[in-house]
Amino acid sequence: IQKNKEFSLLFFDLDKFKLLNDTLGHPTRIKIVKYLREMDRCICGQIVEIFPYSQSTISQHLKLLKESGIVSGEVDGPKTCYCINKELLERIKENVSEL
């Protein structure tokens, strides 16, 4: 490194990056994430009604989103409420923009 030269160093967990990349690599999961961001609140039991897919298909997509940490799910009686992890999405945006 030369004197008086600025530099930046980016650290990230490659396994986590792969999980996030794989999770966000499906158009339906992207649509779910965008929908949750636009709603700007937790959604309880309404996601299946919005998309033209079966309950099991949406459940599988939500499971993967939860495993990656992009979405959290809280059981509320017979329904599960899904919330977007805004902090993680911002970190993803920042890290990807630095590549």
Side-chain angles (χ1 to χ4, degrees):
I1 301 174
Q2 296 177 349
K3 286 185 178 183
N4 299 322
K5 294 286 182 177
E6 290 186 30
F7 72 97
S8 64
L9 191 57
L10 174 65
F11 290 101
F12 58 89
D13 181 335
L14 288 177
D15 291 330
K16 182 69 172 179
F17 182 77
K18 180 181 180 334
L19 175 63
L20 292 170
N21 188 50
D22 290 348
T23 301
L24 293 173
H26 194 284
T28 299
R29 290 191 286 272
I30 293 291
K31 289 176 186 175
I32 292 170
V33 168
K34 285 181 177 180
Y35 177 75
L36 290 171
R37 278 195 79 176
E38 288 170 8
M39 298 312 312
D40 200 30
R41 61 183 168 82
C42 296
I43 303 297
C44 301
Q46 302 166 351
I47 294 177
V48 174
E49 300 163 5
I50 295 161
F51 296 99
Y53 308 112
S54 68
Q55 169 74 46
S56 61
T57 299
I58 294 297
S59 293
Q60 183 62 30
H61 287 304
L62 287 166
K63 177 184 177 215
L64 293 170
L65 287 166
K66 284 173 45 181
E67 288 174 356
S68 71
I70 296 169
V71 169
S72 63
E74 301 274 332
V75 176
D76 183 23
K79 298 178 182 177
T80 302
C81 295
Y82 296 98
C83 306
I84 197 79
N85 184 338
K86 292 178 186 178
E87 181 181 311
L88 178 58
L89 284 180
E90 282 304 312
R91 284 197 326 244
I92 292 168
K93 280 176 45 179
E94 289 170 9
N95 287 331
V96 170
S97 71
E98 292 179 14
L99 293 178

